[in-house]
Amino acid sequence: MPVFDLGIQPLANDFCLEGEERQGYAPLKVMLCNDCGHAQLSVVVKPSILYSKYRYVTSPSLTMRHHFASLVSDMLKEGPAGSVVEIGSNDGLFLQYLSGHGFGNLVGIDPAINLAEIANSRQVHTVRDFFNADSARLAKDMVGKVDFIIARHVFCHIDDWQAFIRNVEILCDRDTVVCIEAPYGWDTLNRCEFDQVYHEHLSFLSVHAMSVLLKGTTLHIHNVLKYPVHGGAILIMLRQNGSKEPPKTDADVWKNDRFTLLNWVDFADEARVRIDDLRTFVNARVEEKKIVVGYGASAKSTVWINACGFTRKHIRYICDETPQKLSTFSPGSDIPIVQPEVLARERPDFAILWAWNFAEEIIAKEKAFRQAGGEWVIPVPELKII
Ligand code: TMP
């Protein structure tokens, strides 16, 4: 049944240069399964439209470096640094990090043509394809025995979970550790991170849903870890049923994390309040002739902007350091994306931090903005002006 509806929305990462053709709009609605409590979008946009040319790149920020360090330390608790296949390896940043930390024999799988070039320049071997049986076999042939399979923030982009797990099984040896990191659905709900709902995020993960999915497969949940990254992430480690390693968590512990209708109804109500709050705030500042800009041309920014109905009249520009996004225009609103230096030069009154998951790092880096009288608007988890 439908539990959260943002209407017809542009594709969140469809940042286009002047004259480039837009990918269009699609309904953005979350449906909940009454039986297993799994939440997923009602409409799946073709992956070839979303990912063949992809402007999202893994942030090289300090925050991500710290996260990578935590991940690696947790991986090494499972076994020595070894071979790795990364599903959705993006521009190869994480595999490059692993190669600098003793891991060898690394292969990524990713369909984005533009990102594979960056990965190559980092000496990261990439199978340029979606994750499917063919690319899994090819990666397996290249690596041989696979010690770790990593899928970072990829599982929520998959519409056919069963096929995903079957293809993971192709890659697995008896002692392979499968690390699936995804936004934790409960953090999304509890912190009202409604901006995590966009066409690429097809589902909202709970451990309960994962344990249902794994029934009848050769894999089981070995461990579950949580990280603060991206507003709250969960790492579900899987191992083969024949593995000698005893599980470090008990699936029973997680049986209560099944979503209910009430959870989503509360979330939807709260999201409407948050959207109204930001819209009212920005409208009032614009009335006062204050200059409001955005910081972080994230997919989340697109969700906020279109949910609030903002245009260039409200938000002059959005600062972002990603070279792939520079000089593009935000989907749906055509707000221009500019270099962060513009913030220092033009000294706007307010900057809405749509990269709120990097708040600490960005605010520290841009301290001149506040020194010049600028104020940060943090929209998540609650509207805060600092
Ligand atoms: P993400 O949360 O989806 O990774 O998006 C964060 C966006 O913020 C991304 O486009 C990169 C941008 N960003 C900056 O412009 N400066 C920064 O210091 C950081 C950490 C991110």
Side-chain angles (χ1 to χ4, degrees), residues 46-245:
K46 268 196 195 153
S48 57
I49 294 179
L50 291 173
Y51 304 116
S52 294
K53 186 164 161 240
Y54 198 38
R55 283 206 161 93
Y56 175 82
V57 291
T58 313
S59 166
S61 59
L62 213 59
T63 311
M64 288 313 294
R65 300 256 152 201
H66 287 150
H67 176 55
F68 287 175
S70 309
L71 258 180
V72 167
S73 140
D74 287 327
M75 286 164 66
L76 292 176
K77 288 177 191 151
E78 297 299 323
S83 59
V84 179
V85 173
E86 185 178 11
I87 302 165
S89 47
N90 195 258
D91 60 0
L93 190 71
F94 186 54
L95 287 177
Q96 186 188 40
Y97 182 90
L98 289 179
S99 93
H101 288 77
F103 290 78
N105 204 1
L106 313 171
V107 167
I109 302 175
D110 199 286
I113 298 162
N114 55 323
L115 299 183
E117 281 164 19
I118 307 177
N120 276 342
S121 72
R122 293 182 160 142
Q123 321 290 324
V124 169
H125 298 296
T126 309
V127 176
R128 224 180 58 203
D129 199 351
F130 288 96
F131 183 53
N132 52 39
D134 288 342
S135 57
R137 279 193 204 101
L138 186 55
K140 176 80 180 139
D141 286 348
M142 289 163 81
V143 172
K145 182 170 165 288
V146 178
D147 296 313
F148 294 93
I149 299 169
I150 316 276
R152 294 197 48 255
H153 292 256
V154 145
F155 196 71
C156 49
H157 295 236
I158 303 290
D159 67 322
D160 187 343
W161 288 22
Q162 274 92 0
F164 181 88
I165 294 294
R166 276 198 305 276
N167 297 331
V168 164
E169 286 174 331
I170 292 174
L171 285 168
C172 274
D173 293 286
R174 196 193 61 187
D175 292 313
T176 305
V177 183
V178 183
C179 301
I180 296 180
E181 184 191 311
Y184 186 31
W186 281 100
D187 288 324
T188 304
L189 289 191
N190 291 337
R191 291 166 46 88
C192 196
E193 295 166 357
F194 81 91
D195 53 1
Q196 301 271 13
V197 179
Y198 49 91
H199 298 101
E200 292 167 29
H201 285 174
L202 293 169
S203 66
F204 303 88
L205 189 62
S206 67
V207 185
H208 174 77
M210 178 62 84
S211 66
V212 172
L213 170 70
L214 294 177
K215 282 191 184 133
T217 73
T218 61
L219 294 157
H220 62 268
I221 296 177
H222 170 70
N223 203 4
V224 179
L225 299 164
K226 292 196 65 199
Y227 302 103
V229 72
H230 291 314
I234 192 163
L235 177 69
I236 305 186
M237 280 186 180
L238 313 179
R239 278 186 180 267
Q240 289 277 64
N241 293 340
S243 158
K244 292 188 305 283
E245 289 295 319

Side-chain angles (χ1 to χ4, degrees), residues 56 59 61 296-298 300 320-322 325 355 357-358 362 365:
Y56 175 82
S59 166
S61 59
S298 55
K300 300 184 279 291
D320 197 291
E321 66 179 8
T322 314
K325 290 181 184 166
N357 41 326
F358 297 109
I362 291 176
K365 185 161 61 181

